[in-house]
Amino acid sequence: MKSFNTTGACFPSVHYMVNIDGKLSEIRKLIDNGSYFVMNRPRQYGKTTTLGLLADTLKTSYIVISLDFQGLSDAKFKNEHVFSAAFAKDLLRTVRNRRFPVHGLNHDILDRLQQDSAIENESFGLVELFVILSELCETAEKPIVLLIDEVDSASNNQVFLDFLAQLRNYYLKRYTIATFQSVILAGVYDIKNLKLKIRSETEHRFNSPWNIAESFSVDMSFSADDIAGMLKNYENDHQTNMDILQISQCIFEYTSGYPFLVSSICKILDEQFQKNRSPWTTATIANAVNRILTERSTLFDSMNHQLSIYPDLRDILYRILFQGQRITFNPDNEAISLGAMFGYIFNDKGSISISNRIFEMRLYNLFLSDEELNSITYQDALRLQNQFIHNGKLNMDLVFRKFIDHFSEVYSNSDQKFIENQGRKLFLLYLKPIINGTGHYYVESQTRDMERTDIIVDYMGEQFIIELKIWRGLQYHEKGEKQLSDYLDRYQSKKGYLLTFNFNKDKEIGIREVFYEDKILIEGTV
């Protein structure tokens, strides 16, 4: 039976897969042009799967040698002699694989490579290795393409930079010395970021050893149409009666096409359908997202690790999420460059935006968890949480009212700066223990700024739209009502919530119900 998996950007032939023929065609053009490049993309973005599919498409025109540096231990990078021997042995294992041998290479030269690299000593180093590699290229029946996956495993070693320098040297002399048709390195780090991983005692030796690399701009994310194509194949086999266009668009809105997240949602929905015929709907997608948010994975473990290593990046994300700051996307800023490379942020018309809704929700949960144990707001909601759920339904009116009571009691004397910086965080801290584990919330990035933000709460398939605003006068408030009404239309809802933080001394604290056009707005002021 076909199934989904979560190992990469697309799924092996026995699984349902997004068609990436167009992306492979773009990569093929680079190879045909003799380009050397780095396929640097975030973790679990399908690099390994793409390399495998690429190798299959190239075999008619090229000899493809696929290596993986993850299998090389740190000890293999002790010096160039140890590395050269390890590289040669790995290459020989690959081309002489009994199940999938590589044909078209000169066996006498392979035998000499095996003999020369058998003993790790100073008589066999990078120079000697590349002389033999050049001879292999010269005598091969077809041009050779070299693929090396997981180069991050090696990139904190100077010997790896020396290896790149040799590749560069042969590339520059390619019209007079035989060398590879194309070399593709795959990993998270781009060559220009390798300096960040070089140990301090060798950092002074970094000198851009691979400035020959072509820019790799192939979009490896999935569009809503890509997802729909995969779901169509699934629907043909299972007849779930899903609305393919609606489901694919919903999955895309949560993931922005991040391959691992797309396949994770599909895998969960498939498991549920196989188990109890659960339909593929926007509600079951929300449940799948909630499961992703509450389970550990290597992707999010890596995110937590990177944010602990790079506090400046963590601070940027925090200010975007909780303070609504617009931060210019400057690729020369190390923290911003790293965030983009890791796939957490992207350049959104000159400003930084979080890459997808699931990352955003996971980051909110991470930052709030750091504060919830010492938060009066969180503890107060936790104490009252049983009041808010009745027969599996969330009473958002009561949540709204109780938060206003709590805020008025605890923070009524806080200054404007505190409220502007902390207001949305306090509301989310209050909401978190009430819906945690069953529902989730996300913030609409298009409306998130210093003065306005829209929060969508999803609980058991029911959605609640809440707008938080700073009071800027009656005209601005009326504009906010119109914005909320328009937003409710988008979600096909007739009821919304508007929470205003007002700093006027004569403000009227409390809640009122407003009929606006054909909708009910529950408006609260603190």
Side-chain angles (χ1 to χ4, degrees):
M1 177 178 292
K2 295 179 182 179
S3 62
F4 298 96
N5 75 26
T6 56
T7 58
C10 53
F11 316 107
S13 57
V14 297
H15 301 284
Y16 294 99
M17 57 186 294
V18 168
N19 187 314
I20 63 168
D21 288 348
K23 304 178 194 301
L24 294 176
S25 178
E26 290 185 64
I27 300 173
R28 173 67 182 261
K29 291 177 183 177
L30 291 171
I31 294 169
D32 290 342
N33 289 334
S35 300
Y36 287 27
F37 57 94
V38 183
M39 188 186 293
N40 67 293
R41 289 296 182 268
R43 292 194 180 281
Q44 296 184 288
Y45 217 84
K47 299 181 293 293
T48 299
T49 306
T50 300
L51 286 180
L53 294 172
L54 180 63
D56 286 338
T57 66
L58 295 175
K59 286 180 178 177
T60 57
S61 303
Y62 301 103
I63 295 172
V64 181
I65 299 177
S66 299
L67 307 181
D68 188 338
F69 274 3
Q70 193 170 34
L72 299 183
S73 66
D74 289 343
K76 298 303 181 183
F77 296 90
K78 179 180 178 181
N79 57 53
E80 68 167 284
H81 309 291
V82 175
F83 171 80
S84 298
F87 182 91
K89 292 172 184 177
D90 192 28
L91 186 148
L92 289 166
R93 278 193 299 269
T94 298
V95 301
R96 290 175 168 173
N97 185 296
R98 290 184 178 180
R99 292 186 61 191
F100 308 104
V102 176
H103 299 289
L105 296 175
N106 186 299
H107 291 284
D108 290 338
I109 296 175
L110 290 175
D111 290 340
R112 181 152 57 86
L113 178 63
Q114 181 174 6
Q115 180 179 350
D116 290 355
S117 63
I119 301 176
E120 298 171 0
N121 57 45
E122 295 186 4
S123 65
F124 187 77
L126 287 172
V127 171
E128 291 74 21
L129 170 65
F130 272 84
V131 167
I132 296 179
L133 292 179
S134 179
E135 292 179 15
L136 271 180
C137 293
E138 184 176 13
T139 58
E141 295 177 2
K142 292 182 288 190
I144 299 176
V145 175
L146 177 65
L147 313 179
I148 305 179
D149 199 5
E150 298 290 349
V151 293
D152 299 88
S153 304
S155 58
N156 62 340
N157 293 276
Q158 180 63 41
V159 78
F160 174 67
L161 299 183
D162 295 338
F163 171 76
L164 292 182
Q166 286 291 334
L167 281 172
R168 175 181 181 272
N169 181 51
Y170 273 78
Y171 173 85
L172 294 176
K173 298 177 181 178
R174 63 192 181 282
Y175 297 116
T176 57
I177 301 177
T179 188
F180 299 108
Q181 164 73 17
S182 178
V183 176
I184 306 172
L185 308 181
V188 174
Y189 280 79
D190 193 1
I191 293 298
K192 64 179 179 291
N193 296 111
L194 284 178
K195 188 175 181 179
L196 300 171
K197 297 198 74 181
I198 302 298
R199 290 191 294 263
S200 58
E201 65 268 22
T202 58
E203 192 166 1
H204 65 281
R205 297 179 62 187
F206 184 87
N207 61 350
S208 301
W210 227 45
N211 54 15
I212 57 168
E214 288 283 338
S215 175
F216 181 74
S217 57
V218 177
D219 184 3
M220 293 176 62
S221 65
F222 299 155
S223 67
D225 288 341
D226 291 334
I227 299 169
M230 176 181 61
L231 295 183
K232 183 177 180 180
N233 292 332
Y234 182 86
E235 182 65 19
N236 289 338
D237 287 343
H238 297 281
Q239 288 82 48
T240 69
N241 295 318
M242 76 169 84
D243 184 330
I244 292 176
L245 294 181
Q246 181 190 48
I247 297 303
S248 60
Q249 184 62 38
C250 184
I251 292 174
F252 180 79
E253 287 177 356
Y254 275 111
T255 65
S256 296
Y258 197 109
F260 172 80
L261 299 176
V262 171
S263 55
S264 293
I265 291 175
C266 292
K267 183 174 184 292
I268 293 171
L269 294 180
D270 173 54
E271 290 171 350
Q272 292 174 348
F273 182 80
Q274 300 297 339
K275 183 178 180 181
N276 54 26
R277 309 296 289 182
S278 295
W280 287 55
T281 65
T282 55
T284 55
I285 291 173
N287 292 336
V289 169
N290 194 58
R291 179 170 155 184
I292 292 170
L293 293 174
T294 55
E295 292 181 346
R296 292 192 62 176
S297 70
T298 54
L299 176 63
F300 294 118
D301 286 346
S302 175
M303 175 185 285
N304 296 342
H305 176 66
Q306 300 297 356
L307 295 186
S308 67
I309 294 176
Y310 302 108
D312 288 346
L313 174 58
R314 182 187 179 97
D315 179 62
I316 287 172
L317 297 175
Y318 185 92
R319 286 188 284 143
I320 291 172
L321 294 175
F322 288 106
Q323 297 172 11
Q325 290 190 17
R326 295 286 183 182
I327 300 177
T328 301
F329 188 96
N330 180 2
D332 295 325
N333 179 291
E334 182 178 300
I336 294 173
S337 177
L338 283 168
M341 184 181 69
F342 294 142
Y344 308 152
I345 60 175
F346 72 102
N347 184 352
D348 184 11
K349 298 177 182 177
S351 297
I352 297 172
S353 287
I354 310 299
S355 291
N356 60 70
R357 190 179 291 171
I358 291 179
F359 276 9
E360 187 168 296
M361 291 188 284
R362 191 84 184 205
L363 288 167
Y364 272 119
N365 289 341
L366 171 65
F367 291 136
L368 291 175
S369 67
D370 292 341
E371 303 188 34
E372 59 190 36
L373 292 180
N374 297 319
S375 168
I376 298 173
T377 300
Y378 181 91
Q379 296 301 323
D380 188 57
L382 184 64
R383 177 175 57 84
L384 301 174
Q385 63 178 343
N386 292 333
Q387 298 182 20
F388 302 116
I389 310 297
H390 183 65
N391 293 331
K393 296 286 187 178
L394 174 63
N395 187 340
M396 182 55 74
D397 288 21
L398 185 60
V399 173
F400 213 57
R401 187 180 310 118
K402 288 292 186 180
F403 173 76
I404 290 173
D405 291 343
H406 167 80
F407 190 93
S408 300
E409 179 182 347
V410 178
Y411 301 106
S412 59
N413 295 322
S414 299
D415 60 28
Q416 180 171 343
K417 191 67 175 178
F418 173 83
I419 301 303
E420 289 180 346
N421 289 335
Q422 304 293 326
R424 89 180 59 181
K425 181 173 71 175
L426 292 173
F427 181 78
L428 294 176
L429 272 170
Y430 196 85
L431 189 62
K432 191 171 187 291
I434 298 171
I435 66 171
N436 201 27
T438 304
H440 62 256
Y441 55 81
Y442 57 89
V443 175
E444 278 293 342
S445 58
Q446 296 93 333
T447 65
R448 180 181 53 225
D449 56 34
M450 296 289 288
E451 298 187 347
R452 176 193 174 204
T453 184
D454 289 312
I455 299 170
I456 292 83
V457 178
D458 200 310
Y459 191 90
M460 300 294 288
E462 187 175 9
Q463 289 184 319
F464 304 89
I465 315 300
I466 304 143
E467 181 170 320
L468 310 184
K469 292 181 71 69
I470 303 295
W471 177 264
R472 295 287 187 246
L474 181 59
Q475 184 176 1
Y476 184 77
H477 181 77
E478 291 174 347
K479 180 181 177 182
E481 291 177 327
K482 177 66 167 61
Q483 290 171 330
L484 178 56
S485 176
D486 293 343
Y487 210 62
L488 290 171
D489 286 336
R490 174 180 167 185
Y491 282 86
Q492 299 179 329
S493 179
K494 297 298 184 182
K495 186 176 184 180
Y497 299 82
L498 178 59
L499 178 61
T500 302
F501 296 96
N502 191 329
F503 306 105
N504 295 342
K505 292 183 179 180
D506 58 349
K507 64 179 178 287
E508 184 177 341
I509 296 174
I511 291 180
R512 64 173 183 155
E513 187 176 286
V514 175
F515 292 91
Y516 188 94
E517 297 176 343
D518 59 340
K519 305 174 186 70
I520 297 174
L521 306 184
I522 307 300
E523 299 187 0
T525 301
V526 293

